[in-house]
Amino acid sequence: PMNIGILGTGSIARTMAAEFAKVPAFRCEAVCSRQQATGEALAQQFGIPKVYTDYDALLADPDIELVYIATPNSLHYAQTRAALLAGKNILCEKPFVPTVAEADELIALAKEKHLFLFEAITTAHHPNYALAKQYLDDIGSLRIVSCTFCQYSSRYDALLSGQVPPVFDPACCGGALMDLNLYNVHFVVGLFGEPMLVSYYPNLYRNGIDTSGILLLEYPDFICQCTGAKDCAAPGSVQLIGDAGRILIEPGSSNCQKLRLVRPGQEDICSEYSESPWFYEVAEIAMILALKDYDACYAALEKTRQVVSVLEAAREDAQLDLRNDQVLEQCAAHRGEVGIIANAVLRMKEALTEIVQKIRQQGGQLFDASETLNNNAAKTAGNVNNVETAVNEIATSATSQAQETQGAT
């Protein structure tokens, strides 16, 4: 078997370690992690004998024949290049690299070193993907292609709470386009090649990352819509719609588990596979390696290059250059603007606090004055009552005296 060194210990690394274990052609020989504890945990779970915390040490291990790279997107280029220079075959997680220039350099280096280099992408290796290609002629002239992959990210709430996970970090080449919509692009480009025109309409978070978006790919005879989202969820699917029928694939471009060919007046043709999509990916790569089929490897790399080209064009169209210094400067400026606003709000709060305190003080003084007026009014009313009583008494006395005088007369 071919000995594999796994770089990274995230969820996809665990998924692939389990798939490698199903294929006799592979043996997981080592794992490399920045932290010893996480490396040991993965090694113990899958019976991997070696744990490294230094990537150079992993590359120096003569027993390692293939390196599986499962690290944040922004690290793929440098880590793949280092492994190729060390004479290792590579299986690099999607997305391969952000730019065509980087892809061309790595592909040329792999060919120069006579090494295998793959992008780990489930779409192209699924049996139903090959079947979709076979059934294209049965749906007539293709008019519309619609791809949907909307999956609420387990890390989206962390982003909303103020954290910046790598998958939502522009500096790490994260975002919905590079993480999920990429599968839609692989599906379409794998069948039809590069489009004439690429347009991307993203929903952007305040740090500049695309949490979701709609990608339009224009071909000579049909148009394609690719929707990818990490901030909401919906059933996934791919539909290839022609004037004589359609092909429906569910749950979508990353897993072509179910295929249905629908044509008016004819019985539907259905195909379903139960294995995980990674099973078919690992099995086909194992076969290519066993046959030393460099032509198949390089043909897959050409498709990868086309996908990189489309993704790069999409980012340029949306002005979403993930690693551009200008974007980082804009983010920094944005943070500065937020700080200025926050300071202004704080000053306003302090001013309002002073006003409230003055109002309370004046209110207290008004209350005291009001209380004094009330007391004085009460005293005045009492005095008036006393005068009135006195006048009444004088009037009564005068009346009595007058009556007595009249009687005496």
Side-chain angles (χ1 to χ4, degrees), residues 55-79:
Y55 186 41
D56 290 335
L58 173 72
L59 296 181
D61 186 338
D63 293 332
I64 302 299
E65 300 169 89
L66 181 144
V67 176
Y68 168 58
I69 296 175
T71 54
N73 302 344
S74 57
L75 304 177
H76 290 178
Y77 164 74
Q79 291 172 342

Side-chain angles (χ1 to χ4, degrees), residues 60 87 146 158 218 362 371:
S146 177
E218 297 184 38
Q362 294 174 357
E371 191 172 19

Side-chain angles (χ1 to χ4, degrees), residues 399-409:
T399 301
S400 298
Q401 289 180 1
Q403 290 175 349
E404 290 177 357
T405 302
Q406 287 178 354
T409 304

Side-chain angles (χ1 to χ4, degrees), residues 19 23 25-26 125 278-288:
E19 297 298 338
V23 179
F26 291 129
H125 306 286
W278 299 282
F279 171 82
Y280 302 106
E281 174 190 330
V282 171
E284 186 165 355
I285 289 173
M287 182 178 66
I288 292 172

Side-chain angles (χ1 to χ4, degrees), residues 11-283:
S11 60
I12 188 60
R14 293 192 297 273
T15 296
M16 291 296 282
E19 297 298 338
F20 290 141
K22 297 177 184 178
V23 179
F26 291 129
R27 177 178 181 270
C28 292
E29 175 70 15
V31 59
C32 182
S33 174
R34 290 175 300 175
Q35 299 178 358
Q36 184 77 21
T38 55
E40 288 178 352
L42 190 139
Q44 184 176 2
Q45 182 179 357
F46 295 101
I48 301 173
K50 299 175 184 177
V51 176
Y52 292 101
T53 57
D54 180 72
Y55 186 41
D56 290 335
L58 173 72
L59 296 181
D61 186 338
D63 293 332
I64 302 299
E65 300 169 89
L66 181 144
V67 176
Y68 168 58
I69 296 175
T71 54
N73 302 344
S74 57
L75 304 177
H76 290 178
Y77 164 74
Q79 291 172 342
T80 297
R81 184 175 183 277
L84 290 171
L85 290 173
K88 308 297 184 183
N89 300 293
I90 302 293
L91 175 60
C92 178
E93 257 306 325
K94 60 82 186 170
F96 184 53
V97 287
T99 69
V100 172
E102 291 171 328
D104 285 343
E105 180 184 346
L106 295 178
I107 292 170
L109 185 58
K111 291 180 178 180
E112 176 190 334
K113 297 282 188 179
H114 201 58
L115 294 167
F116 286 99
L117 173 61
F118 302 94
E119 179 185 17
I121 185 78
T122 55
T123 305
H125 306 286
H126 201 286
N128 273 341
Y129 186 66
L131 204 56
K133 192 179 301 186
Q134 177 183 325
Y135 286 147
L136 277 175
D137 290 340
D138 295 309
I139 62 172
S141 297
L142 187 63
R143 308 307 299 152
I144 295 290
V145 177
S146 177
C147 306
T148 300
F149 192 173
C150 299
Q151 179 177 285
Y152 192 93
S153 172
S154 60
R155 299 173 182 85
Y156 185 57
D157 289 340
L159 177 69
L160 297 180
S161 70
Q163 304 175 45
V164 185
V167 75
F168 288 113
D169 190 344
C172 292
C173 300
L177 177 70
M178 298 295 283
D179 190 46
L180 298 186
N181 227 340
L182 163 139
Y183 285 104
N184 295 330
V185 175
H186 260 286
F187 190 101
V188 176
V189 170
L191 292 178
F192 308 111
E194 291 187 61
M196 300 183 305
L197 186 64
V198 177
S199 306
Y200 187 46
Y201 304 91
N203 289 318
L204 299 178
Y205 192 63
R206 59 174 177 253
N207 69 340
I209 202 69
D210 60 316
T211 56
S212 55
I214 295 175
L215 178 68
L216 297 181
L217 307 178
E218 297 184 38
Y219 287 86
D221 300 316
F222 67 92
I223 192 166
C224 171
Q225 164 265 321
C226 299
T227 299
K230 296 178 72 63
D231 54 8
C232 56
S237 68
V238 173
Q239 290 206 74
L240 305 163
I241 307 170
D243 58 11
R246 63 187 176 92
I247 299 169
L248 171 65
I249 291 178
E250 296 174 313
S253 56
S254 70
N255 182 7
C256 306
Q257 183 179 1
K258 299 178 182 179
L259 179 147
R260 182 183 296 272
L261 171 62
V262 181
R263 294 166 294 177
Q266 300 186 51
E267 186 176 350
D268 291 355
I269 296 177
C270 300
S271 173
E272 183 171 352
Y273 288 85
S274 59
E275 291 286 354
S276 82
W278 299 282
F279 171 82
Y280 302 106
E281 174 190 330
V282 171

